[in-house]
Structures are given as structure tokens and as C-alpha cells.
């Protein structure tokens, strides 16, 4: 059962040390999260885009030729098929995967009215700039969601989607991006290579390069360089924290050149993330992400500590970089079976002990996808979205006043379908 809307009303403040929350004794509210399927972007498509030049913002033309669309679709289909067979060879087609894939199909069908409306806006809205190239590797592209109001510079959210390191896609940020754009926030949703197209180091490298591109170019789209926020969801939360921590260490060690700085990130939002892989590997195995596959994604058991931010932050050799990290704001549902909410609890404690600023919001009974999909599909107002917007607009009285008068969001999916989808959700 959802917690009452007035269970938690944090007051968001900014000080010289970053974000501070004054809140009630309760630590409950509601969360935001999602996960679906993914469609890797074809190599043909990226080679075509690279001819246009990498490193400069690209505004896609709304009307492409039929032959180009056909070629793009054919290249994607070939790549999807090849990677799918590779993945299936790794996963096997056991009972648990058959059950989960069936549940996923039913889940997607039940929520299809919402998906269709979001995808229509994603492909046809003038506010969306799709497939902007940020690097030279396959899937090195991002989507921009731009406000219609261009009277002044806007806060920017760099979003990294989840997907179990296997099925992530930048399009999964469409619902969040469209809704934040309505509140005068620019959203950059970064795509990155998934397994088996890449392993964890490739994903972290891709995301870091995407962050760099946004930091260097977002001003050309009206972004405020003093208000850039990084947000990750599920596996995307893990990958983005790894990228952030790597960047902080590289800056402190001055061992290699850096083209963006952690000082450019005003705050980090972690949505239902996992930050200690050693504690999660057996849990994932029981949920169907088999240990052998997970270790392949993470480049072997010996690399689990290296890609566990919670463990790395405790290493005395990196204690000097903690002060350079932005404030952390973590969100998690207590009904999350995909990644238990304890993952965010222990990471918050670890960050605080190390001297970083970290705040945690738990949402009673909320699952891995409730606030990222089910609750937004209900329409109206949902608290986590308002919380995030309040942080993004902190200090901007005009924007906050506009937020207070924003109309409720329209319902996208009938309640009966949402309840049924929640019952069959494989997440």
C-alpha cells in the first residue's frame, strides 16, 4: 500500500557544502525506477553519424529518407539477432528465464497504452533530439529532451538508464525526460554498450564519455553549466557512480588527462542502485542473472571489488578524493526485489563515514519499477518527481512558483491494467 503523501515532506536547501535536507522523523515516501527491453543501435547507423562529425552537438533532421530508415532498421535487426543469440548461449534457456520472459511480455502488454503514448512523443515531439553522437563506439549516442521555454538557461539532468547491464537503452528515459522537460529541465539520456556487446569497463567508459560531451556542449542547447546533475537508475546507478568515482580518482592522481570534472556535477541522484557487487552476486543468481553471466559482465570475480563503489570508497588510498564528490541523494523502495533497499542503506552509511554528503529516501512497499513506470502512468502528481524537481529548481523562486501551479499529469494507463502489471512484473 502506498504511503500517505504527507508522510515525508523534505525541505531542500543549498548551502556552501551542497544539498541539505530538513525532514520529518519518518524516512518514507515513494520511489522512481524502471527497466524494460533494449535494442542496440546498429553499427551502420553509427558509421553514418560519424561522417557528420563527433564532438559537436548535432540536431537531427526530422525527415529522413526512406532508404536511410530502411538501412538503419536492417542493420539494427541484424545486430539485435546476432547479439541475442550470443546472449542466449550465455544465459541458457532454463525454466527461470522462460518464466521471466513470459512475465515480461505480459507486463509490457498490460502497460502498452502508456508505452505507445510515450514512444509517440519520443519519435515525433519537437522537444526531443534523438541519436546525438558523443563517441566513436557503437551505441555512443544520447537523446536530449528540451523545454519549449527558452527564456533563460535551464538545469540539466544527465540520465543513465538501467537494464541489468544487458538490456539498457537510452529510450527508457523517455517518460522521465518528457516530464522533466515540461518543468523546464533539460535531460540528456545516455546510451552505452550492454553485455555481450561490451563489459563493465566499456559501459563505464561510454558513460564517462557521454557525461563529458554533455558538460562540454549542453550550453549550446540552453543548459546551465552551474546546474548539471547526474542521475542513474538500477544498473545505470551503479555504472554512473563508477564513472563518477573513477573521474574523481583520475583528477586527484593527475595520472591521465580528463576532459570533464566532478566539480561540474552539482549533485548525484541514485535510483534503486546496487553499489556493492560482492553482496549482490548471489542475490542476482537467485533472481535469474546467473553467477557465471554476471561475472562475465563484471570481467571476473577478481574485478568485483574494483567495480563496487561502496568498497572502493572505504579504501584509505582514495580517501583524499571524497571531498571532491558531489552530494549524493539516493532513493529506494522497500518492496524492491530486484535490488534490495539495503544496498542503498549501506552505501549511504559508507559515504557518510568517509566524509561525503549523502541522503537516503526510502519508499514503503514500492518495487523496482513503481515510481518510474506504474505511478507516472497513473497521472496526477507523485512525490518523488516533485522531490527531484524541487532540488533541481532550488534557489530559483520563479521556477518553484511555476512548479506549484503545474497541472496534474494525464493518466496514461487504466488503473486495472496497472494493478495487473504490478502483479506479474518480473522485476
Amino acid at each position: 500500500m502506498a504511503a500517505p503523501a504527507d508522510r515525508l515532506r523534505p525541505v531542500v536547501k543549498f548551502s556552501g557544502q551542497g544539498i541539505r535536507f530538513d525532514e520529518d522523523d519518518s524516512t518514507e515516501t515513494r520511489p522512481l525506477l524502471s527497466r524494460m527491453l533494449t535494442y542496440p543501435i546498429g553499427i551502420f547507423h553509427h558509421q553514418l553519424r560519424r561522417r557528420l562529425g563527433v564532438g559537436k552537438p548535432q540536431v537531427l533532421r526530422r525527415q529522413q529518407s526512406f532508404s536511410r530508415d530502411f538501412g538503419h532498421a536492417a542493420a539494427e535487426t541484424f545486430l539485435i539477432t546476432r547479439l541475442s543469440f550470443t546472449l542466449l548461449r550465455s544465459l541458457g534457456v532454463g525454466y527461470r528465464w522462460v518464466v521471466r520472459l513470459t512475465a515480461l511480455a505480459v507486463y509490457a502488454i498490460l502497460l502498452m497504452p502508456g508505452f505507445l503514448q510515450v514512444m509517440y512523443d519520443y519519435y515525433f515531439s519537437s522537444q526531443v533530439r534523438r541519436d546525438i553522437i558523443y563517441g566513436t563506439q557503437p551505441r555512443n549516442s544520447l537523446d536530449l529532451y528540451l523545454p519549449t521555454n527558452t527564456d533563460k538557461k535551464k538545469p540539466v539532468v544527465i540520465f543513465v538508464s538501467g537494464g541489468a547491464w544487458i538490456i539498457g537503452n537510452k529510450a527508457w528515459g523517455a517518460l522521465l525526460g518528457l516530464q522533466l522537460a515540461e518543468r523546464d529541465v533539460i535531460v540528456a539520456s545516455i546510451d552505452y554498450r550492454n553485455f555481450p556487446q561490451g563489459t563493465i569497463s566499456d559501459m563505464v567508459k561510454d558513460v564517462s564519455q557521454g557525461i563529458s560531451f554533455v558538460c562540454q556542449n549542453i550550453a549550446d542547447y540552453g543548459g546551465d553549466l552551474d546546474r548539471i546533475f547526474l542521475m542513474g537508475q538500477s544498473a545505470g546507478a551503479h555504472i554512473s557512480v563508477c564513472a563518477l568515482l573513477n573521474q574523481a580518482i583520475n583528477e586527484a592522481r593527475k595520472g591521465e588527462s580528463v576532459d570533464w570534472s566532478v566539480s561540474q556535477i552539482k549533485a548525484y541522484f541514485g535510483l534503486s542502485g546496487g553499489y556493492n557487487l560482492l553482496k549482490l552476486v548471489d542475490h542476482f543468481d537467485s533472481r535469474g542473472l546467473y553467477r557465471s553471466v554476471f561475472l562475465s559482465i563484471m570481467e571476473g570475480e577478481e574485478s568485483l571489488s574494483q567495480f563496487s563503489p561502496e568498497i572502493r570508497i572505504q579504501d584509505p588510498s582514495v580517501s583524499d578524493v571524497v571531498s571532491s564528490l558531489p552530494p549524493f541523494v539516493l532513493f529506494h523502495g522497500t518492496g524492491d526485489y530486484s535490488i534490495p533497499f539495503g544496498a542503498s542503506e549501506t552505501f549511504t552509511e559508507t559515504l557518510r563515514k568517509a566524509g561525503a554528503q549523502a541522503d537516503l529516501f526510502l519508499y514503503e512497499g514500492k518495487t523496482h519499477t513503481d515510481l518510474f513506470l506504474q505511478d507516472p502512468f497513473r497521472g496526477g502528481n507523485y512525490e518523488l518527481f516533485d522531490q527531484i524537481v524541487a532540488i533541481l529548481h532550488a534557489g530559483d523562486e520563479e521556477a518553484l512558483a511555476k512548479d506549484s501551479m503545474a497541472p496534474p499529469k494525464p493518466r496514461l494507463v487504466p488503473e486495472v491494467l496497472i494493478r495487473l502489471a504490478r502483479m506479474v512484473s518480473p522485476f
Side-chain angles (χ1 to χ4, degrees):
M1 180 178 296
D6 58 355
R7 290 288 294 275
L8 175 61
R9 291 289 181 183
V11 179
V12 185
K13 299 181 179 180
F14 280 79
S15 63
Q17 288 73 41
I19 299 175
R20 186 175 74 256
F21 289 87
D22 295 333
E23 56 182 284
D24 300 336
D25 292 336
S26 170
T27 58
E28 298 176 349
T29 305
R30 317 179 162 191
L32 181 88
L33 287 291
S34 113
R35 198 189 283 197
M36 306 180 198
L37 298 171
T38 194
Y39 296 91
I41 294 174
I43 295 173
F44 167 87
H45 173 70
H46 285 276
Q47 290 175 339
L48 178 64
R49 291 293 180 188
R50 284 200 294 274
R51 293 172 193 166
L52 301 178
V54 175
K56 297 181 292 184
Q58 305 287 341
V59 179
L60 294 183
R61 294 178 179 176
R62 278 328 204 179
Q63 301 197 351
Q64 299 176 335
S65 69
F66 174 79
S67 59
R68 177 177 298 180
D69 285 346
F70 182 81
H72 181 193
E76 282 193 350
T77 301
F78 174 77
L79 183 59
I80 291 166
T81 302
R82 181 170 59 82
L83 291 176
S84 296
F85 277 112
T86 303
L87 182 59
L88 287 173
R89 282 199 301 270
S90 300
L91 295 175
V93 189
Y95 169 77
R96 279 187 293 180
W97 271 101
V98 171
V99 171
R100 291 193 180 280
L101 289 173
T102 302
L104 178 60
V106 175
Y107 175 82
I109 290 170
L110 290 169
L111 297 180
M112 191 57 67
F115 293 146
L116 290 176
Q117 292 178 71
V118 172
M119 287 300 101
Y120 179 86
D121 288 338
Y122 175 70
Y123 283 105
F124 297 106
S125 173
S126 60
Q127 293 177 257
V128 184
R129 303 290 185 269
R130 292 182 290 113
D131 299 333
I132 297 174
I133 299 301
Y134 67 77
T136 60
Q137 296 297 321
R139 301 193 63 176
N140 280 183
S141 65
L142 57 86
D143 296 329
L144 286 181
Y145 299 83
L146 305 174
T148 56
N149 176 14
T150 59
D151 59 345
K152 61 181 180 180
K153 292 189 176 297
K154 312 298 183 186
V156 179
V157 171
I158 303 173
F159 180 73
V160 184
S161 69
W165 302 273
I166 295 174
I167 57 172
N169 189 279
K170 59 186 174 60
W172 305 160
L175 180 57
L176 178 67
L178 291 164
Q179 291 186 342
L180 285 177
E182 291 176 355
R183 296 295 187 90
D184 288 343
V185 176
I186 297 174
V187 177
S189 185
I190 297 176
D191 213 4
Y192 56 91
R193 285 170 285 177
N194 287 183
F195 181 82
Q197 196 173 22
T199 56
I200 184 62
S201 59
D202 298 315
M203 302 175 201
V204 173
K205 181 179 179 180
D206 288 352
V207 167
S208 182
Q209 194 170 357
I211 295 171
S212 173
F213 179 90
V214 174
C215 289
Q216 293 179 31
N217 295 286
I218 201 63
D220 295 333
Y221 294 93
D224 187 344
L225 296 181
D226 294 324
R227 290 188 293 168
I228 299 178
F229 299 80
L230 179 60
M231 179 185 299
Q233 176 262 327
S234 189
H238 166 256
I239 296 168
S240 54
V241 170
C242 286
L244 191 66
L245 187 55
N246 282 355
Q247 190 70 12
I249 293 173
N250 289 340
E251 289 181 38
R253 300 294 179 266
K254 297 180 174 60
E256 55 184 88
S257 61
V258 295
D259 48 12
W260 66 280
S261 171
V262 294
S263 63
Q264 294 175 274
I265 307 300
K266 193 170 184 66
Y268 173 82
F269 300 123
L271 312 178
S272 291
Y275 311 99
N276 188 330
L277 302 183
L278 289 175
K279 292 181 179 179
L280 291 171
V281 61
D282 290 333
H283 172 77
F284 289 150
D285 184 77
S286 69
R287 297 280 298 172
L289 181 53
Y290 302 126
R291 185 183 185 92
S292 59
V293 177
F294 185 68
L295 292 180
S296 295
I297 296 171
M298 297 302 160
E299 302 172 2
E301 191 164 3
E302 64 281 0
S303 297
L304 292 181
S305 295
Q306 177 188 350
F307 292 106
S308 293
E310 181 180 310
I311 295 176
R312 293 192 74 189
I313 208 76
Q314 299 177 70
D315 186 345
S317 67
V318 302
S319 59
D320 57 327
V321 310
V322 174
S323 60
S324 68
L325 295 174
F328 284 72
V329 187
L330 305 183
F331 308 94
H332 221 122
T334 62
D336 190 336
Y337 299 107
S338 294
I339 301 179
F341 70 92
S344 288
E345 284 187 317
T346 56
F347 189 46
T348 300
E349 294 171 3
T350 300
L351 286 166
R352 289 172 176 171
K353 288 179 181 178
Q357 183 177 345
D359 292 278
L360 171 65
F361 293 94
L362 296 178
Y363 304 90
E364 186 65 28
K366 293 298 179 179
T367 68
H368 202 66
T369 58
D370 271 335
L371 279 179
F372 201 81
L373 284 178
Q374 285 94 282
D375 284 354
F377 279 168
R378 286 189 170 97
N381 297 313
Y382 57 102
E383 189 144 12
L384 180 60
F385 180 80
D386 291 337
Q387 275 184 261
I388 293 174
V389 171
I391 298 174
L392 299 175
H393 286 159
D396 187 338
E397 296 300 327
E398 181 181 347
L400 292 172
K402 185 177 179 180
D403 291 336
S404 67
M405 296 184 293
K409 301 171 187 66
R411 175 179 283 274
L412 301 180
V413 180
E415 183 63 25
V416 63
L417 295 183
I418 291 176
R419 291 182 180 274
L420 288 172
R422 196 177 191 273
M423 291 173 60
V424 303
S425 172
F427 306 117

